[in-house]
Amino acid sequence: MSKKILKLLVVHTYMAMLTVPILFMIVWYFMTATFNSYTGSFSLDNFAFMFGPIESMGIKLPAIWPIVLNTLVYSFTIVMIEVLISVPAAYAFSRLDFKGKRNAMKFLFIMRSFPGVTLIIATFFILVKMNLVDTYLGIILVAITGSLPGHVYIMKGFFDEVPWDLEWAAMTDGCSRFRAFRKVILPAVKPGIGAIAIFSFLGAYGEWFLFKLLIFSDTRLIIGGYIAKLITEENVIVDYGLISALGLFYTLPVILFYIFSQKIFMKVNIGGSKGV
Amino acid sequence: MIQLKGVVKEYGNAKNKEVTRAVDGIDLEINQGEFIALLGPSGCGKTTTLMMIAGLLKATKGEILFDGKVVNQMEPKDRNIGMVFQSYALYPHLKVIDNIAFPLREKKVPKAEAYEKAKNIAKKLQIENLLNRKPAQLSGGQQQRVAMARALVKEPQILLLDEPMSNLDARLKLDLRDEIRKLQREIGVTTIIVTHDQEEALAISDRVAVLDAGKIQQYDTPYNLYHKPKNLFIANFLGTPPMNIVEGHVEEQDGRQVFAAEGVRYMLPQNREVAKEHIGCRVAIGLRPNDIRICESTENTIPVRIELVEQLGAEQLIKAKPLAGDHIIRIVAENEMKLKAGETVSIRILENKFHLFNLERNGINILS
Ligand SMILES: Nc1ncnc2c1ncn2[C@@H]1O[C@H](COP(=O)(O)OP(=O)(O)OP(=O)(O)O)[C@@H](O)[C@H]1O
Ligand SMILES: [Mg+2]
């Protein structure tokens, strides 16, 4: 047996050992969602939530579709705001000279690695004072403050990669600075914009903690918060079948998205000038 | 005509308030249609000068004029310049044809016309078969041509080339060099090329400005730079193998002037004597390796011992030491001469081919 085959064998065994438990969990997850735990036979009863409000072990859940809509509106709003702020901000950090840039960068770095949860009580009181508790505005402000620094930082990395020559070339070719940004720099950092858009979306889509804390009206919930309702004050999950079904409903779009977009992300390439 | 008057560029360092003077008072005049080179060692301010002409950097002091009009405050986009960067800086997301048409589209030239012109210039540069590729799918030489086409398509008033050939192999360089020169003649565009390759600069341009430490040391035709260097820096910088520089002084002897150094005594020809004020000063003689002949020992020759013989191909390079000195003198000799290391021979300096530099006056050439 050649060395190569041996190597492959080792690698595959190792990978299998790591993935089998995960696979097992996923299968188990599917089974809990689609089998009746008492009769042990296949049933879609757990998916009743898709067709109207339900009640399980004393916990009332409203109809899910308005919540799905909330989730999408909330997530895309966050994506829009984060992209619109972080792209120009990162450009400025990467390419412009302005007063206080170094300190702003330091602040950004600290914010990025700061565990925001530790501030949550203060945040809550500030929102109360500002009358922003139980509003989207309030929760969006809090969510964005938490994730924006990291995204600006990532985006800055992408701008740093774009050679100055490219911008200069555009400027001698008749572009103003802004137009050079739009026509040449922006296309060059597209993969970066895609990346932060996805990060923002996933961050927002997966949010539940802030909703549990800052939103009280069921009409404003998003799916994450909706599912969290099934966990009681005593941290007991009341209905495993239902929560698995909800979880499946929740994660399936993301998984499908990953499967279909992964090829595109693999193909993404940055830079084009040789020899720099 | 392009004029630079006392142009200074200082780079500030925000952190420690330090200022570096990259360009230190440059005066330069470039005539319409002229091809000039900015030549100098790394870090001497060539790129900085070019960027100020392009308007990508603002001069700290001084004036830049195009056709008599001060353009210091003019935006790069309004200066009508074509520029080729060392990295070529092709737009990676655009196909070659779109890259070339880009400047025209920015000028609001109608689409059909822009692409027509782009195709024409591409044909001229022999890249019409690459038009649908992305820059990443091109070789270095092809990228260079595309960059050239993109710079020329807008029929610029000035063409700026920043080391356009430094990433190409030697052979391709030679071909492209001739092509660029031909193209420039044909179009008649005023051109400035930045390079640290002296051969390239001398071969391609009408005049060369040699820069050192942010200052122009000499701005002259290639012929004059080589044969009439203004100072020691120029003499030293130009020519391969480099000029021999031997330090000594000029003294008077029996009514004649003699250059004297360790192991070297050379009676100056009467028509090339120096002014009285230089006598006794620290003076260096500059001798090109090609301007020294190996000969029989006669009057006014210098005896040397050969240390090393190197083959250059077409000729041989001799490294020799004066019998009574310790500095190496490089001599280029014909291959036919059979010379061996250890041999003692005499050398003769060609009478009208040596230079004398006064080291006490910044190495100024005192014979030209
Ligand atoms: N952005 C900058 N900030 C500070 N100093 C700079 C900056 N750009 C250039 N310099 C300095 O200015 C001097 C001239 O730089 P320049 O790029 O013009 O040199 P060059 O002649 O083009 O050299 P090379 O042949 O290496 O390209 C150098 O000493 C360099 O360190
Ligand atoms: Mg340079």
Side-chain angles (χ1 to χ4, degrees):
Chain A
M1 202 162 63
S2 76
K3 235 180 167 170
K4 205 168 152 195
I5 295 174
L6 192 71
K7 214 161 138 189
L8 269 176
L9 205 72
V10 171
V11 169
H12 279 102
T13 317
Y14 187 68
M15 288 198 302
M17 271 164 55
L18 285 178
T19 39
V20 162
I22 297 172
L23 264 177
F24 173 77
M25 281 194 283
I26 292 174
V27 170
W28 181 78
Y29 184 41
F30 266 90
M31 307 261 289
T32 337
T34 52
F35 281 82
N36 188 309
S37 49
Y38 298 110
T39 62
S41 60
F42 181 80
S43 110
L44 289 174
D45 290 349
N46 284 329
F47 289 89
F49 65 85
M50 286 173 73
F51 309 103
I54 51 163
E55 190 177 337
S56 166
M57 323 245 171
I59 293 174
K60 281 200 183 102
L61 289 178
I64 195 155
W65 294 110
I67 306 242
V68 170
L69 186 68
N70 282 352
T71 312
L72 293 178
V73 169
Y74 172 77
S75 305
F76 282 111
T77 311
I78 294 258
V79 170
M80 286 278 289
I81 297 175
E82 292 217 6
V83 169
L84 286 180
I85 295 179
S86 62
V87 170
Y91 176 84
F93 277 121
S94 169
R95 303 210 158 211
L96 303 181
D97 266 327
F98 53 90
K99 232 177 146 182
K101 177 171 162 178
R102 287 176 60 83
N103 287 330
M105 279 296 298
K106 270 185 214 154
F107 181 69
L108 208 65
F109 193 79
I110 295 170
M111 283 297 287
R112 182 181 163 230
S113 25
F114 198 86
V117 190
T118 52
L119 292 180
I120 205 67
I121 293 170
T123 310
F124 183 77
F125 278 108
I126 292 170
L127 286 191
V128 168
K129 275 268 182 293
M130 293 172 75
N131 265 333
L132 289 176
V133 173
D134 202 24
T135 64
Y136 273 156
L137 180 61
I139 202 163
I140 285 174
L141 281 177
V142 176
I144 282 181
T145 314
S147 58
L148 200 56
H151 293 159
V152 172
Y153 219 80
I154 294 171
M155 208 52 226
K156 178 181 175 294
F158 278 89
F159 278 114
D160 288 344
E161 290 287 307
V162 181
W164 272 100
D165 281 3
L166 220 52
E167 193 160 358
W168 285 330
M171 282 163 74
T172 56
D173 281 347
C175 292
S176 63
R177 184 105 196 234
F178 180 70
R179 202 165 157 78
F181 169 75
R182 244 196 46 199
K183 298 282 289 186
V184 174
I185 308 297
L186 224 43
V189 296
K190 236 188 201 158
I193 299 178
I196 58 163
I198 289 168
F199 291 154
S200 312
F201 181 83
L202 292 180
Y205 188 77
E207 186 61 73
W208 62 273
F209 178 71
L210 288 178
F211 278 85
K212 198 163 169 124
L213 198 81
L214 302 173
I215 297 286
F216 311 125
S217 330
D218 278 355
T219 53
R220 292 202 187 89
L221 276 182
I222 66 169
I223 307 174
Y226 180 89
I227 296 176
K229 271 181 162 301
L230 284 177
I231 301 162
T232 59
E233 304 287 328
E234 297 82 32
N235 275 334
V236 179
I237 294 173
V238 288
D239 184 341
Y240 277 99
L242 179 57
I243 207 166
S244 303
L246 273 168
L248 216 55
F249 177 83
Y250 189 30
T251 45
L252 220 49
V254 178
I255 292 169
L256 289 178
F257 173 78
Y258 263 117
I259 291 172
F260 287 113
S261 62
Q262 126 186 328
K263 268 223 182 77
I264 303 170
F265 282 103
M266 300 289 231
K267 255 195 262 171
V268 155
N269 74 344
I270 323 160
S273 15
K274 271 191 188 167
V276 187
Chain B
M1 190 166 73
I2 307 166
Q3 287 165 296
L4 273 67
K5 292 185 181 166
V7 171
V8 171
K9 177 68 194 180
E10 284 171 347
Y11 287 111
N13 187 333
K15 205 170 142 208
N16 49 18
K17 297 266 186 301
E18 217 173 76
V19 191
T20 39
R21 239 181 209 218
V23 170
D24 190 7
I26 279 189
D27 298 299
L28 197 64
E29 246 183 58
I30 304 148
N31 297 321
Q32 185 62 44
E34 202 174 12
F35 197 133
I36 79 140
L38 298 178
L39 175 67
S42 189
C44 70
K46 305 180 295 285
T47 300
T48 307
T49 308
L50 204 69
M51 301 266 285
M52 284 191 289
I53 296 173
L56 296 167
L57 285 176
K58 295 262 175 288
T60 312
K61 252 189 252 165
E63 283 182 336
I64 298 172
L65 300 93
F66 291 177
D67 295 324
K69 225 174 68 214
V70 178
V71 295
N72 284 38
Q73 297 307 322
M74 196 189 270
E75 290 291 320
K77 71 184 173 69
D78 303 321
R79 292 192 185 201
N80 197 17
I81 35 181
M83 191 155 176
V84 174
F85 293 85
Q86 189 174 354
S87 64
Y88 312 131
L90 300 179
Y91 309 128
H93 62 294
L94 297 180
K95 287 191 296 193
V96 166
I97 181 77
D98 298 320
N99 258 285
I100 301 175
F102 184 88
L104 295 178
R105 296 296 289 145
E106 284 305 306
K107 269 191 183 174
K108 304 281 176 287
V109 174
K111 200 164 177 178
E113 192 189 335
Y115 281 86
E116 189 58 40
K117 279 189 172 167
K119 275 190 193 126
N120 285 339
I121 194 86
K123 207 170 279 168
K124 213 172 231 164
L125 282 151
Q126 295 153 27
I127 45 172
E128 69 261 49
N129 54 336
L130 307 172
L131 294 182
N132 286 317
R133 297 214 198 150
K134 287 280 181 68
Q137 301 165 317
L138 300 178
S139 74
Q142 290 166 337
Q143 291 192 31
Q144 210 273 349
R145 281 165 191 272
V146 175
M148 221 34 212
R150 189 180 64 184
L152 287 173
V153 75
K154 57 189 147 177
E155 289 158 20
Q157 193 190 355
I158 307 163
L159 180 62
L160 303 176
L161 310 169
D162 189 358
E163 312 224 11
M165 288 173 276
S166 60
N167 292 331
L168 306 179
D169 72 57
R171 187 57 204 272
L172 196 55
K173 237 180 189 169
L174 288 182
D175 293 347
L176 264 171
R177 191 163 92 189
D178 297 343
E179 226 171 291
I180 289 178
R181 182 72 234 224
K182 222 178 87 203
L183 209 60
Q184 189 267 347
R185 286 247 172 79
E186 202 178 306
I187 302 170
V189 58
T190 310
T191 304
I192 305 175
I193 187 171
V194 159
T195 174
H196 57 238
D197 179 344
Q198 47 167 296
E199 196 199 317
E200 185 176 295
L202 297 180
I204 206 172
S205 30
D206 299 317
R207 283 196 285 174
V208 179
V210 182
L211 271 76
D212 184 42
K215 285 199 172 78
I216 291 187
Q217 300 295 325
Q218 189 169 351
Y219 179 37
D220 219 328
T221 59
Y223 183 89
N224 283 351
L225 281 174
Y226 190 81
H227 295 278
K228 297 174 184 165
K230 262 199 182 130
N231 57 36
L232 190 58
F233 174 82
I234 300 285
N236 218 344
F237 186 70
L238 290 178
T240 37
M243 189 183 256
N244 296 295
I245 309 286
V246 181
E247 270 189 49
H249 60 273
V250 177
E251 57 191 36
E252 291 198 299
Q253 186 187 1
D254 310 330
R256 292 286 299 270
Q257 291 186 352
V258 173
F259 174 81
E262 204 186 22
V264 176
R265 278 189 81 75
Y266 176 62
M267 191 187 291
L268 304 184
Q270 263 160 326
N271 61 343
R272 300 198 74 200
E273 294 195 326
V274 302
K276 285 272 178 289
E277 72 215 65
H278 301 297
I279 288 174
C281 290
R282 275 175 53 234
V283 164
I285 193 166
L287 304 166
R288 296 227 181 260
N290 300 74
D291 297 338
I292 303 173
R293 294 284 177 270
I294 293 175
C295 62
E296 300 294 312
S297 169
T298 56
E299 206 182 318
N300 215 13
T301 60
I302 301 156
V304 296
R305 174 179 297 112
I306 296 176
E307 298 270 316
L308 201 67
V309 180
E310 273 176 26
Q311 268 305 319
L312 297 181
E315 53 220 346
Q316 49 189 342
L317 179 67
I318 315 293
K319 292 185 177 163
K321 271 185 187 172
L323 287 187
D326 200 33
H327 35 259
I328 296 278
I329 295 179
R330 285 174 297 267
I331 307 153
V332 171
E334 288 171 355
N335 276 334
E336 283 67 44
M337 298 191 91
K338 296 289 170 245
L339 298 163
K340 278 201 303 289
E343 222 175 318
T344 302
V345 295
S346 285
I347 56 172
R348 182 163 58 85
I349 295 167
L350 294 187
E351 288 200 341
N352 49 359
K353 288 290 177 64
F354 66 91
H355 305 278
L356 289 174
F357 305 98
N358 189 335
L359 298 179
E360 292 172 20
R361 299 206 193 155
N362 297 323
I364 188 170
N365 189 339
I366 51 180
L367 276 183
S368 64

